Amino acid sequence: MEASSDTISRKLLNWYDAHARDLPWRARPGAPAPEPYRVWLSEVMLQQTTVAAVKDYFAEFTRRWPDVSALAAAPDEEVMAAWAGLGYYARARNLLACAREVAARGGRFPDSEEELRALPGLGAYTAAAVAAIAFGRRAVVVDANVERVVARLFALDTPLPGGRTAIREKADAITPERRSGDFAQAMMDLGATVCTSRAPRCLLCPLSAECEGRALGEPERFPVKAPKKAKPARRCRAFWIERDERVWLVRRPGKGMLGGMRALPDDGWHSRGDGTGEGPLDGPWESAGKVGHVFTHFSLELSLAVYLGNQCDSLPAEEGEWWPLDRIGEAGLPTLFAKAAHLALAGTGERV
C-alpha cells in the first residue's frame, strides 16, 4: 500500500483546510503566519501539557506580556507565579532566559531552525515548530501526536524510544516543501482529534486508505512502547507556620525541583531521596494530613505539619516572607504546595 509522499501531504492539507482547530495562538489555514512570539510561547507551554490546560495561561501571559520584550523585562517572581500550575517549572526559567536573549537581539526571533536551537530552552521539536509555523521554513516537527500518526501510517513496530529514528525519517519523507507549518499542525490535529491513542476514528481519517496500521486491523498497537518502569515513591514533610493572618513562604533554590518558586518550607526532599523530616523550628507541631503528587520520574507523599509554638521571630527574614492568607491564591504556589495549603486552611489535624 505504498502511497506517495505528495499524496499523503495533499490529502492531509486538504483535510486541515476544512478541519483545523481554532486555537488562540494559531493563524487560520491560508492566513499570514502568526507572531513568532505567540508560536514560541504556546509551544513551550504545550510541552507535556494539554491544549485545554494551556489556553487560559496563554491568554493571561499575552495579556500581561504582549511581546517578547515585555516578558523579558518582567520580574522573575511574577513570571514564576503566573506559571504556577502548568508544571515542569524549568520551562518557565528557560522561557525567561530565552525572552531576555531575544530582547537583547532587538526583540526579533531568528528564523532558521539552527539559530532557534541555540536559544535557551529550545530543543529540536520547539525549534522546528517555530521555524515551520512562524517562518514557513521546511522543518520536520515531531511531537507525541505526530509520532502516533506516523507509526500507524507506516506500521513502524520498533518500540519507543528506539523507534523514534525511523519515525522521524518517515515524517521527513512526507513533509512538503511548501506549507510545512500547516502540515505540522495538521499532523498534530489529526493525532489529537482523529488518530487518538485509544479508539482511533479511522473512518474519519483522510489517510485511512494509506494507513498500514489500519490495513493490519490493529492501529492501536502503534506506536509500540517499551514496558513502563515503576516510579519510585518519595516521602517528605512541609511546614505551615502562621502568624497574624499570614503564612511563612520561602523561595526554592533556582535550580532543582520547582526551582525559583514560592513554596512552604520543607525538609529538603529531592527527586532521588526522601526528606529529613526536620522542620525550620523546634515545634510543637500538629499534623494536618497528607497530600500526594506525581512528578515525571517519581511520586511524592507530603505530610503537612502545622506550627503551634510562639518562636516565629527566630525565622531568618532573608530566607522567606510572610504572605497574607487571604491572598494565598496569588502566591503562585506549585500544585504540590497549593494542595498542602488547602489542607492547612481546611483546619483538620491531630497533635503529633
Side-chain angles (χ1 to χ4, degrees):
M1 179 189 311
E2 192 71 27
S4 73
S5 58
D6 288 344
T7 299
I8 290 171
S9 61
R10 175 178 50 79
K11 285 188 172 185
L12 186 60
L13 285 168
N14 287 342
W15 174 84
Y16 182 69
D17 288 342
H19 300 284
R21 288 182 291 176
D22 186 11
L23 300 175
W25 46 83
R26 272 194 188 172
R28 297 293 299 170
E35 288 286 333
Y37 171 67
R38 296 173 70 86
V39 177
W40 162 74
L41 179 62
S42 66
E43 289 297 342
V44 174
M45 288 184 165
L46 286 163
Q47 292 168 17
Q48 302 186 61
T49 310
T50 65
V51 166
V54 163
K55 283 183 177 180
D56 288 345
Y57 284 89
F58 180 83
E60 179 64 9
F61 263 70
T62 51
R63 182 191 68 80
R64 294 177 65 176
W65 304 295
D67 56 42
V68 71
S69 296
L71 181 60
D76 288 30
E77 59 270 19
E78 290 187 15
V79 175
M80 298 303 289
W83 190 273
L86 263 182
Y88 302 95
Y89 294 98
R91 292 182 298 165
R93 298 193 296 274
N94 286 331
L95 190 81
L96 272 171
C98 182
R100 288 165 182 165
E101 184 162 329
V102 172
R105 298 179 175 206
R108 296 176 65 87
F109 281 85
D111 63 1
S112 75
E113 192 174 353
E114 182 179 1
E115 289 177 291
L116 286 163
R117 280 290 303 270
L119 292 174
L122 268 73
Y125 166 76
T126 307
V130 175
I133 298 167
F135 297 109
R137 302 285 191 179
R138 186 189 182 279
V140 183
V141 184
V142 182
D143 70 354
N145 283 319
V146 177
E147 279 188 351
R148 184 166 57 256
V149 171
V150 173
R152 290 174 177 173
L153 186 59
F154 296 100
L156 301 176
D157 57 6
T158 302
L160 300 179
R164 289 196 169 114
T165 298
I167 289 174
R168 181 175 178 79
E169 289 173 354
K170 289 294 188 180
D172 189 2
I174 62 175
T175 298
E177 291 292 334
R178 299 182 61 226
R179 297 189 68 188
S180 64
D182 280 348
F183 180 81
Q185 292 175 113
M187 291 284 277
M188 296 174 196
D189 282 10
L190 190 70
T193 64
V194 175
C195 193
T196 49
S197 296
R198 298 177 182 175
R201 303 160 72 191
C202 296
L203 293 177
L204 300 179
C205 181
L207 304 180
S208 60
E210 290 75 27
C211 182
E212 296 181 23
R214 181 172 186 251
L216 293 172
E218 47 182 0
E220 288 184 71
R221 186 165 76 85
F222 305 98
V224 179
K225 298 181 180 181
K228 286 187 177 181
K229 296 181 180 179
K231 291 185 177 183
R234 307 295 184 211
R235 291 179 174 82
C236 74
R237 293 181 82 197
F239 306 95
W240 183 269
I241 306 170
E242 187 178 323
R243 181 181 71 179
D244 300 329
E245 299 298 315
R246 294 172 179 264
V247 62
W248 181 250
L249 299 182
V250 298
R251 180 78 61 179
R252 293 182 64 81
K255 294 183 178 180
M257 298 294 300
L258 310 179
M261 305 293 291
R262 284 194 189 97
L264 299 176
D266 62 38
D267 61 355
W269 62 273
H270 52 82
S271 61
R272 297 178 302 280
D274 297 344
T276 64
E278 297 179 4
L281 297 169
D282 288 338
W285 297 95
E286 180 177 81
S287 172
K290 299 177 180 180
V291 297
H293 192 72
V294 179
F295 292 94
T296 305
H297 301 297
F298 67 99
S299 63
L300 182 69
E301 181 185 80
L302 181 151
S303 298
L304 183 66
V306 175
Y307 184 60
L308 301 179
N310 57 8
Q311 301 298 314
C312 295
D313 290 341
S314 63
L315 291 166
E318 68 277 7
E319 293 184 7
E321 59 187 315
W322 291 104
W323 191 270
L325 291 179
D326 60 1
R327 291 178 47 219
I328 194 68
E330 302 171 27
L333 297 177
T335 302
L336 170 68
F337 291 104
K339 291 177 183 178
H342 178 79
L343 196 62
L345 293 170
T348 60
E350 63 184 72
R351 185 68 59 88
V352 293

